[in-house]
Amino acid sequence: MPEPLLMKYVGRPGRDAVDEYVRTGGYEAAARALKELTPDDLVAMVEASGLRGRGGAGFPTGRKWRLTPKREGDVRYLVVNADEGEPGTFKDRTLIEGDPHQILEGVLIASYANRVHRAFIYVRGEMFLGYERLRRALEGAYARGFFGRNILGTGFDLDVTLHRGAGSYECGEETALLESLEGRRGEPRVKPPYYPAVKGLYGRPTVLNNAETLAHIPHIVRLGADGYKAYGPPILYSVSGHVTRPGVKELPIGTSLREIIFEHAGGLRPGRTFKAVFPGGSSAAILTAEHLDTPADFDSLAKLGSMLGSSAIIVMDDTTCIPAVIRRTVEFYRDESCGKCTPCREGTIWLSQILDRILDGHGRMTDLELMDGIAQQMTGLCLCALGESVPPALRASLTYFRDEYLHHIRAGSCDVVRAPVAAGGASG
Amino acid sequence: MSGRVLSDATLGEIARLRDAYPQAQSALLPALHAAQDQVGYLSPEAIADVAQALGLAETEVTSVASYYSMFFLTPVGRHKIRVCTNLSCYLNGAEEVLRRLCERLGVSPGETTADGRVLLEAVECLGACEEAPVVLADATRHARVTAAGADDLLRELR
Amino acid sequence: MSSAPPLTTVRLTIDGREIVVPKGTTVYTAAARAGIDIPTFCYHDRMEPLGACRVCLVEIEKMPKLVTSCTQEAGDGMVVHTASDKAKAGQRAILEFLLINHPLDCPICDKGGECPLQDNTLKFGPGQSRFVEVKRTFRKHLRMGPTLVLDRERCILCWRCVRFGEIIAGDDALQGFERGYRGQIATPQMAPVRSKFIGNTIEICPVGALTSATYRFRSRPWDNGAVASVCPHCGCGCATTLNVRGNDLDRTRARAHPEVNDVWLCDKGFFGYEFVQSPERLTSPLLRRDGVLGEATWAEAIERVAGALRAAAPQAVGVVGGARSTNEDNYLLLRLFRGIIGTNSVDFRVDTAHPAPGSAGCWGLPCSIAEVEAADTIVLLGCDLTEEYPIIWLRVKKAVDRGARLVILNPWELEIARWATHALTYRSGAEAALLEALAGRRDVAAAAAASEVPADRLREAADALAAAARPIILLGRTAVERPDVLPVIAAADALRAARPGAQVGLLRGRANSGGAQLLGLMPDMLPGYRAITDPEARAAVAAVWGRAVPEAPGRTVRGMLEAAREGALDLLYVVGADPATDYPDRRAWEEARRRLRTLVVHDLFLTETAAAADVVLPVLAYAEKSGTVGNIEGRVLRQDAAVRGPGSARSDGAIFAAIAERLGTELAYASWEDVSAEIARLIPGWGPDVRLAPPAFRAAAAGPAGAGPATARDGELLLVAGTRLYDRGTMALRCPGIRGQAGEPFVGLHPDDAARLGVTGGAMCEVRSPRAAIRLAARLLPGLHRGHAYVPRGYEAAPVSALLDEHGPVSVAMRPAGSPG
Ligand SMILES: Cc1cc2nc3c(=O)[nH]c(=O)nc-3n(C[C@H](O)[C@H](O)[C@H](O)COP(=O)(O)O)c2cc1C
Ligand code: SF4
Ligand code: FES
């Protein structure tokens, strides 16, 4: 297995200091990009690298950049999505806390490639430590001339503003993020016409990328598209739940779920058996033991009706009550729904009411069809992907774990042996 | 009734924020953070000051503030304990931690202690699932918190 | 590759029908044009599509998902199905979702019968709901101020009302709070809405979440008769529909008029109709006998008036008012007084103390109300637009949204200041200097010194105007409502000359002032804005009337009052006006009244003036008579009688005809249409909905020069009177829906001045001018220019006119008053 690219220095102290980052070769890729490469070269290089967005939708980054209109004289913006909120996802936070300059260097290169002179980093409000580290890192990078006027003597100008969110998962959705950045409620805009690339921040063309996505950029420039691809290409899996060694695992994309869970994340606690997994955050359909050999990549998971999403792998062992987990996810979406569109606002509250009833022992046999119907009525009808994220896991659970629901309805209680879990039990 | 509540320092910070963005309204979230940090919550007077400073309607500022879970429109505890109860933490015993904190503080999630010192909240994924269960006490993240650990955490909160 | 010309139209198929629409049209609009019905809730055609409610789903071939037709642009070759199984399932799903939390209280809901949710559910919705859970509940029926009732349970969160406040009115009155399923429409702390346009949200709410406090439970829509009318308030002449049941006036709604109010109304228009059926209406003539007013028959009253007219010399007769009458009423007024009596002393401008004929300029908007939208720079000088002509603000707002610059110069900060590119306060009296600076005819530094506006900011404003291609400069009442108005008019005239293409207007007048001006209810004018001194105009009138019209201009209102004081005016005839309250010098009025031999008043109510009259004649209100009125742009608008008047009240015109007859001349017309037809003979182009634009005003030669910027006496404040949309005038007081909006009368002053004078906010103080002293509660106004005392007009109990002086600006002394007693 090749050595890690993005995670190489994560865990070493003092990585938010610009000198430390420069000492290990930091900002060399940016210097090369600004001095030796044209913006078009860079777009071509990122396209050739095959990098796909790490925010969840997996859109090819190079294509996104190419699609952003670059008319001379137009104001364009770069916006970094560091609002990480998808349940189970913690790779952006890990990078931000562990090696923030990597992202900033990506911002610099991406801005140059997209002829942008103003960038914003939208940092999740609850990410106190990460914000502080980013702020320090940015300050240091400004002091060394990596940002501001006439960067590295190339004549290129770039200003970066850090912006704190204030508690809203929906603000991770790109158009809601822009609304929030403009000082409004984090409600999404309709696409079309508000594709950020064309009509983004303040109505201007805007390149919007996930934080991890940008952290890949310096490595692509440094290694070249092919050199970078030789690393897998690499991807960060956030593995958590009922595993003994949770954490961010940098691996070649397409590593199988089994390998990720049982080798890299240490497998399950002694005596436990595997029950189910969310392979891409709670917005992805859950999978079962029979799917463990699936490569964790965009296409393979999509074929199973699930998705790679933000590559957050949440593992559940046999102590897990699936209806209870589904209720928790539905509650999450219910509480985080912005409420702008009807199906998401009303569908989530309706589903959570039914799930409460079932788990309280008052379920009806017709509830399963009803829930499936509601989920179908949400699918494809919502304004943004938040509402669309509710049906997959729910419907998968109705398929794979129907018996658990039926038991709740018939017996009025849970049949899952909930072994007493020592709090913090997953470690060890 | 035009009692200004925001200090010169806070208003100065808001003016700086306003000028840091291409459009003044973009400074709203950071300005509300600044106002809340000073006052403790977003009182109608604080909202009025922010609205005035950014040239916005008070109704709109209140509406925006009410959208975000980190802004408080009524008084809350100075200290904020946020217990993640989303999937990874839930699977690793977050409910028990939350229950213990409720007992110790004598509140339900979302409430502030009778002495007005501590707000306890159940929150969504804090993006630190490898450390589940996670508790954020003010700006400090605590990893792998047990029920017993919750007691320690409260002691530290002085 | 050949470069095809860009498509300007697209051809698409909807439900099997080929439709060609301009590029940029949405699928929804394309379908609507073809008469194909797609349900909508959040979409409103005056606002950008939002795509929130998701009910307008349609199936488009080659697209993987259903799309919202309100946001989807129609594309060439698109094949759309609005009623395929898939599309119908989508629409049904959304309706089912909307209904799970909507109460089933249609039978007691005001919206029942005209509710889009009800209609759409019937047409597109599911047969029955599968929802068995507990519905979301909120506290029922919240009163959000005197006119608005909010029922959050019924709200379907379509965001129309919120977006109306953001996009159309710019007042952000209602907002969404919280989020997700907890989301609700409200105000902070459920405080009363602060808006002048909230009635519109009641109209556009697609459910019964927002209802009118005045109309609540009054009627079911199918019982309502609908009569086209015109709003009687500010002078914009917004088109309205009056809903009537039997002889009850139940509500006022907006009627679409693209050139005037589009589809909107202000709240005075919506809720200011109840005075019409107030129990305090006068129902029979009153005659003063032995010093006491008592009821009389019409015959007695007419005889008394005719007798007094016969006894007076023509030059000793004056007429004021007419702005509340129809054009046809006023035409008869002119025939009677100009033609039969032979006086030119007629003037509708009761609230103006301009000294000589011609010195007030011509009033009105220089372009149509709709054309304001097209301006690239709008200057408001002493013009409190939302208080005086709210509906024009909606056009200004649109211009601003399109990038127009808004320059506001006013002695106090206006509520719309946050929309302005330049919002500056100045010392009252400096209007001429400011106009000269804006015209580049005067050095900015000097104007800045006179006006107390920072020179650099004044220069920026002047530069903005200089750079404008299509500027509109509007002078409001504060700028021109002064005896020393001549220099202001002259400066405005000069500005127009200096900035070719600039439209300059004096925004003045209420109700039918525009029509009164058009008909020549002025001492120096004849119908059609023609000068009395114009022999041709006089001849034309004489030909139609069969009577000569005196040549010499008559007296203005101020002139009439002066003449009365000097014993040169015997009879004053007041038509639907209240000079005792509105003439800007109460003492001058009172002295004049004492010397008058006869005072005749037409009114709906026993106003201050009527109470002092010798003859009071009850007349019909706007909703009780048909005819035409003219608005601020000079547009002739038609209104129809909706209800019968009280008692024996008559139209003004009928009264004039009766008097004429008593004097021996029959003014015989079969109907108001006949009168209107005769007006058309004198005013070329006259007809319903024609705009006869007021001529560009000119600076009159006559009249005293201005006193220049007034300075307050030492330690005193300069008095400025402000117009308020909600006041406590005759009509507002009798409209329960809006009566409460005005609050108590007050005097506003800058906090610094208050501190200097030892006055605290809320405390009673005595405000003393050389004319009188009145007691008012102090209100601190940080937005008021220092050195001023602001007193609102229109409070009958504390008339600012008591403080005013018809000769010039007034300086007032203020001090805290002891406890009332
Ligand atoms: C409800 C919702 C939440 C999202 N949250 C995040 C997030 O926290 N971080 C993120 O980068 N992308 C998030 N996304 C995806 C973004 O909309 C967007 O696709 C992404 O930031 C684009 O960057 P990329 O192309 O680099 O992946 C979210 C999407 C949805 C629908
Ligand atoms: S109150 Fe009415 S208009 Fe406003 S969002 Fe609710 S339903 Fe729509
Ligand atoms: S009307 Fe189209 S989404 Fe609401």
Side-chain angles (χ1 to χ4, degrees), chain A residues 53-57 59 64 81 83-85 92 169-170 172-174 208-210 213 385-386:
Chain A
R54 306 293 305 113
F59 194 84
K64 187 183 269 189
N81 191 341
D83 192 45
E84 192 171 53
D92 293 337
Y169 165 68
E170 171 61 1
E173 196 281 336
E174 52 188 6
L208 196 144
N209 276 125
N210 164 260
T213 307
L386 188 147

Side-chain angles (χ1 to χ4, degrees), chain C residues 110-188:
Chain C
D110 270 345
K111 202 79 177 189
E114 52 188 19
C115 172
L117 180 63
Q118 218 174 36
D119 297 346
N120 283 333
T121 303
L122 214 62
K123 232 187 279 177
F124 305 99
Q128 66 191 70
S129 174
R130 298 172 290 172
F131 187 76
V132 297
E133 321 300 327
V134 180
K135 281 183 190 275
R136 179 164 54 225
T137 53
F138 286 107
R139 225 177 81 212
K140 270 290 204 191
H141 308 157
L142 292 173
R143 277 298 277 253
M144 307 293 289
T147 53
L148 186 69
V149 180
L150 169 66
D151 185 328
R152 288 167 297 170
E153 287 173 6
R154 292 182 186 153
C155 173
I156 58 168
L157 292 168
C158 72
W159 304 104
R160 277 187 180 184
C161 54
V162 171
R163 282 166 30 96
F164 173 85
E166 279 170 13
I167 299 170
I168 310 286
D171 59 15
D172 291 290
L174 288 166
Q175 285 281 341
F177 291 87
E178 308 281 325
R179 69 181 183 214
Y181 74 100
R182 292 195 182 86
Q184 49 178 295
I185 302 306
T187 59

Side-chain angles (χ1 to χ4, degrees), chain A residues 8-271:
Chain A
K8 185 167 178 188
Y9 296 102
V10 169
R12 295 213 199 163
R15 289 297 290 176
D16 53 355
V18 67
D19 292 348
E20 160 64 15
Y21 184 67
V22 167
R23 194 184 59 76
T24 57
Y27 289 108
E28 280 172 19
R32 177 158 173 258
L34 265 62
K35 288 178 181 160
E36 297 168 22
L37 301 173
T38 65
D40 294 345
D41 292 343
L42 284 164
V43 173
M45 188 184 260
V46 171
E47 239 179 336
S49 78
L51 176 64
R52 291 174 69 170
R54 306 293 305 113
F59 194 84
T61 306
R63 184 152 24 120
K64 187 183 269 189
W65 292 7
R66 193 157 46 76
L67 288 178
T68 307
K70 307 225 173 33
R71 276 212 320 270
E72 206 53 56
D74 264 10
V75 178
R76 272 174 299 275
Y77 298 104
L78 176 88
V79 175
V80 184
N81 191 341
D83 192 45
E84 192 171 53
E86 176 70 18
T89 314
F90 47 93
K91 56 170 180 99
D92 293 337
R93 194 215 86 241
T94 301
L95 289 179
I96 289 168
E97 286 178 3
D99 206 359
H101 281 288
Q102 214 176 179
I103 296 165
L104 295 181
E105 187 174 2
V107 169
L108 175 53
I109 301 171
S111 297
Y112 172 71
N114 288 288
R115 300 174 168 91
V116 160
H117 302 287
R118 192 74 200 262
F120 298 87
I121 307 181
Y122 189 104
V123 186
R124 177 144 178 219
E126 294 90 340
M127 212 189 277
F128 292 100
L129 180 61
Y131 184 86
E132 210 33 51
R133 296 238 164 112
L134 265 178
R135 199 188 55 71
R136 257 198 64 162
L138 187 61
E139 215 171 81
Y142 257 101
R144 286 200 49 162
F146 295 128
F147 294 99
R149 300 300 95 175
N150 188 21
I151 295 166
L152 303 173
T154 61
F156 181 69
D157 300 338
L158 175 64
D159 278 309
V160 181
T161 306
L162 289 187
H163 185 92
R164 267 186 82 195
S168 159
Y169 165 68
E170 171 61 1
C171 287
E173 196 281 336
E174 52 188 6
T175 58
L177 184 149
L178 294 176
E179 284 285 306
S180 181
L181 185 49
E182 290 180 11
R184 288 190 290 270
R185 297 162 60 85
E187 292 166 0
R189 305 170 176 173
V190 275
K191 299 184 269 187
Y194 293 102
Y195 293 112
V198 188
K199 247 181 149 181
L201 189 62
Y202 311 124
R204 305 272 176 198
T206 301
V207 178
L208 196 144
N209 276 125
N210 164 260
E212 181 200 334
T213 307
L214 291 173
H216 286 258
I217 302 297
H219 302 288
I220 294 172
V221 172
R222 188 164 53 85
L223 301 166
D226 291 334
Y228 166 82
K229 276 208 246 177
Y231 281 76
I235 183 170
L236 304 185
Y237 294 106
S238 309
V239 194
S240 68
H242 290 147
V243 289
T244 55
R245 276 205 321 274
V248 174
K249 313 293 170 186
E250 179 173 341
L251 295 167
I253 190 166
T255 308
S256 77
L257 288 169
R258 186 183 303 281
E259 182 184 333
I260 299 169
I261 296 169
F262 288 93
E263 287 181 31
H264 304 286
L268 308 176
R269 296 166 299 179

